[in-house]
Amino acid sequence: MTTAQRGRPGPRRTLTAEAIVDAALRLLDRRGAEAVSVRGIAAELGVAPNALYTYFPDKSAVLRAVVDRLVGEYDPAALADPARPWRDRLHGLALSLRARLLAHPGAAGLLLGAPMDGPRALALGEALLELLAGAGLDERDAARASYLLIVYVLGAIALEAAELDPALPVPPEADRVAARRAALDAVPEETYPRTAAAARTVSRYITTEQFRWGLDRVLDGLAVKG
């Protein structure tokens, strides 16, 4: 080996894990979860598919990183702010997660299929446990309450996102309510009388008002220790 060969630098690293997650999110936003593959992400980045394996062992690992990115984008200072009532802090967290995830409806469905065990998700869980302990729950109840909140918030968001087309901008809330009401008006009243009678309320299941109402019912239960 010549001196020139020994001193030749190796190939430049043109990728990062963050860039791969960014590319996966772009694919999700344009075409939905079915379009995301190692080959698809590589094509989006203009690299060979095997280049991704330096950072992620497979597609499922990429999707887990996408979920971790999305659930981790909240303001930790606001969640930990002792000057704000604990309920207000939880409302702020839930609403920020809803806004963030509904901006990526193709990714929201992943919440039901990818484990939340990344560093950002773990940090969120730790912050929730700290907040709930400060609200007066003991260690066992705080852990159960943290899980309950995650199930409600992410489950509600995933169901709402399931009605959206990931390839299109999210319509205004009023337009989505109107579309749901039109579909409910077509339900035969003689067969489903209670559904027909409740059509106005059912059509608003995907509203911020309903999301906050459900969250408040959960928090009401946590505030009553028995």
Side-chain angles (χ1 to χ4, degrees):
M1 180 181 294
T2 67
T3 301
Q5 287 174 320
R6 286 197 301 270
R8 182 181 299 162
R12 294 178 60 187
R13 293 167 64 90
T14 58
L15 289 181
T16 64
E18 290 294 306
I20 293 169
V21 172
D22 288 341
L25 268 172
R26 290 195 296 272
L27 285 173
L28 283 163
D29 288 345
R30 290 202 307 267
R31 297 163 56 193
E34 298 77 10
V36 180
S37 65
V38 170
R39 287 187 177 276
I41 295 169
E44 179 78 11
L45 292 166
V47 300
N50 61 5
L52 273 64
Y53 295 121
T54 300
Y55 304 90
F56 297 100
D58 51 33
K59 171 186 169 179
S60 65
V62 178
L63 296 180
R64 289 166 75 170
V66 169
V67 169
D68 197 52
R69 162 85 69 83
L70 291 172
V71 301
E73 293 188 343
Y74 65 97
D75 183 358
L79 189 60
D81 183 3
R84 297 178 63 201
W86 66 274
R87 289 180 69 121
D88 289 354
R89 284 181 274 162
L90 285 173
H91 264 278
L93 171 66
L95 290 168
S96 68
L97 283 173
R98 179 173 177 262
R100 175 64 177 159
L101 290 167
L102 289 181
H104 300 279
L110 298 177
L111 300 172
L112 302 181
M116 293 177 52
D117 56 1
R120 291 183 176 94
L122 290 172
L124 173 59
E126 183 73 12
L128 274 177
L129 290 171
E130 181 70 22
L131 187 156
L132 292 165
L137 276 68
D138 62 29
E139 182 178 289
R140 180 170 174 267
D141 284 347
R144 287 184 163 182
S146 175
Y147 180 70
L148 173 62
L149 285 164
I150 289 294
V151 168
Y152 171 72
V153 170
L154 298 187
I157 294 168
L159 287 172
E160 187 173 348
E163 299 187 10
L164 300 173
D165 185 337
L168 298 175
V170 177
E173 190 172 273
D175 291 353
R176 291 191 286 137
V177 170
R180 286 176 58 86
R181 181 60 189 265
L184 285 164
D185 285 344
V187 172
E189 183 176 358
E190 64 277 9
T191 307
Y192 307 102
R194 291 188 179 275
T195 300
R200 182 180 184 280
T201 300
V202 174
S203 68
R204 299 184 59 80
Y205 279 176
I206 47 80
T207 62
T208 304
E209 173 195 20
Q210 170 67 33
F211 183 77
R212 295 184 68 114
W213 184 91
L215 180 61
D216 274 328
R217 301 295 78 74
V218 173
L219 298 183
D220 287 347
L222 297 182
V224 178
K225 296 190 292 183

